[in-house]
């Protein structure tokens, strides 16, 4: 299984809602990532988990709250978002964060989020 | 300074012709990896090809080849025999070793349109 899955595919939410994005991989990867991507722009790194511990937080607002319940799952909890948070949210995983020669990132299909 | 530079915001190529997408990078890390990803309008980031900094030969994967010129710090993607399905955004990315492990950097992308 070389797939990263993300649910839901599309999400529309109001600014007062609480919702969660889910990401799952069964490749035995120990590093998982959340990216935010605006149209026609490159992905922007938000969070990195390594061995289920938060390794990198790229100064993301607290209305985004990541969670890694186990090595296969990564959640992104959303609360009180703003319309400018509308974007494609991509999850990715890689074997790890150590300096191995490859460590390709496998990406999921993304969740298209619209905040009204 | 930009870690990854893609100077072609948009490119057009005739079907069945070859096209080169440019990518230059900036790093002082002797061990790094270079990646190309394709992102169709559906949003999924699809891994295309990888080049390690110590690899002696240029990477090839089917119709994709990477023209790696280490001294010039360039890693151009060559797509041979373009197909209509190749129309997409293409991102060049680099993995670099940092204090917290691997860090990934993405270029701004090149939008490729294949003309029938």
């Amino acid at each position: 299984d070389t797939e990263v899955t993300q649910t839901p595919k599309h999400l529309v939410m109001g600014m007062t809602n609480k919702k969660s994005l889910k990401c799952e991989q069964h490749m035995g990867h120990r590093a998982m990532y959340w990216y935010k991507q605006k149209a026609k722009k490159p992905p922007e790194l938000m969070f990195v988990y390594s061995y289920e511990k938060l390794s990198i937080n790229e100064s993301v607002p607290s209305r985004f709250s990541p969670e890694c319940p186990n090595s296969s799952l990564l959640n992104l909890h959303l609360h009180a978002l703003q319309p400018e948070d509308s974007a494609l949210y991509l999850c990715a995983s890689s074997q790890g964060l150590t300096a191995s020669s490859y460590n390709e990132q496998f990406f999921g299909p993304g969740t298209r989020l619209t905040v009204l | 300074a930009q870690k990854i530079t893609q100077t072609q915001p948009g490119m057009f190529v005739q079907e069945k012709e070859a096209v080169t997408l440019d990518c230059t990078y900036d790093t002082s890390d002797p061990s790094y990896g270079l990646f190309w990803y394709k992102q169709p309008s559906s949003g999924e980031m699809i891994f295309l090809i990888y080049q390690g900094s110590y690899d002696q030969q240029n990477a090839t994967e089917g119709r994709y080849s990477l023209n790696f010129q280490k001294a010039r710090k360039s890693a151009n993607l060559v797509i041979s025999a373009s197909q209509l399905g190749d129309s997409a955004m293409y991102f060049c990315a680099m993995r670099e070793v940092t204090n917290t492990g691997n860090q990934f950097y993405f270029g701004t992308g090149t939008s490729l349109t294949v003309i029938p």
Side-chain angles (χ1 to χ4, degrees):
Chain A
D1 184 0
T2 58
E3 194 180 42
V4 177
T5 59
Q6 287 187 247
T7 54
K9 279 193 168 182
H10 301 273
L11 178 62
V12 179
M13 60 187 290
M15 289 190 284
T16 58
N17 291 158
K18 281 187 182 181
K19 296 284 184 185
S20 297
L21 309 185
K22 297 187 185 305
C23 173
E24 191 166 1
Q25 57 87 14
H26 294 287
M27 294 178 278
H29 289 173
R30 303 317 299 262
M32 295 186 76
Y33 311 74
W34 278 117
Y35 287 88
K36 173 183 177 181
Q37 188 181 25
K38 292 283 207 178
K40 303 289 188 186
K41 298 289 186 185
E44 299 171 29
L45 185 65
M46 300 174 73
F47 302 103
V48 181
Y49 273 82
S50 175
Y51 288 85
E52 297 137 64
K53 291 193 180 343
L54 185 62
S55 175
I56 295 175
N57 176 344
E58 293 286 357
S59 302
V60 179
S62 60
R63 57 186 185 266
F64 295 92
S65 173
E67 178 198 18
C68 190
N70 60 56
S71 59
S72 301
L73 290 173
L74 185 66
N75 298 324
L76 186 63
H77 302 300
L78 315 172
H79 175 53
L81 294 194
Q82 304 295 311
E84 59 264 30
D85 295 323
S86 298
L88 178 69
Y89 288 83
L90 290 163
C91 174
S93 70
S94 67
Q95 286 181 352
L97 288 185
T98 56
S100 66
S101 63
Y102 200 72
N103 257 333
E104 168 202 344
Q105 286 189 323
F106 290 84
F107 283 84
T111 294
R112 288 197 186 275
L113 174 67
T114 303
V115 182
L116 300 177
Chain B
Q2 290 277 5
K3 286 286 188 181
I4 296 284
T5 302
Q6 294 180 254
T7 57
Q8 306 153 313
M11 290 280 286
F12 292 86
V13 64
Q14 202 76 38
E15 194 178 5
K16 299 179 186 173
E17 297 290 313
V19 63
T20 298
L21 306 184
D22 294 341
C23 173
T24 57
Y25 59 92
D26 180 28
T27 182
S28 54
D29 176 9
S31 175
Y32 55 89
L34 297 157
F35 303 81
W36 277 93
Y37 287 90
K38 171 185 177 182
Q39 189 175 40
S41 56
S42 59
E44 185 171 1
M45 295 281 277
I46 302 166
F47 166 74
L48 295 178
I49 197 166
Y50 167 81
Q51 181 85 42
S53 58
Y54 295 120
D55 293 342
Q56 296 292 320
Q57 293 190 321
N58 287 342
T60 60
E61 288 286 348
R63 294 186 299 111
Y64 305 108
S65 60
L66 200 152
N67 184 359
F68 182 45
Q69 298 189 41
K70 196 170 181 177
R72 293 186 179 184
K73 293 190 175 178
S74 78
N76 298 339
L77 176 71
V78 180
I79 305 174
S80 62
S82 297
Q83 301 171 356
L84 295 178
D86 294 334
S87 295
M89 281 290 284
Y90 289 80
F91 290 100
C92 180
M94 177 175 68
R95 172 191 52 76
E96 191 181 52
V97 178
T98 68
N99 292 337
T100 53
N102 285 314
Q103 181 68 284
F104 283 85
Y105 303 95
F106 284 86
T108 50
T110 295
S111 177
L112 178 67
T113 303
V114 180
I115 305 165

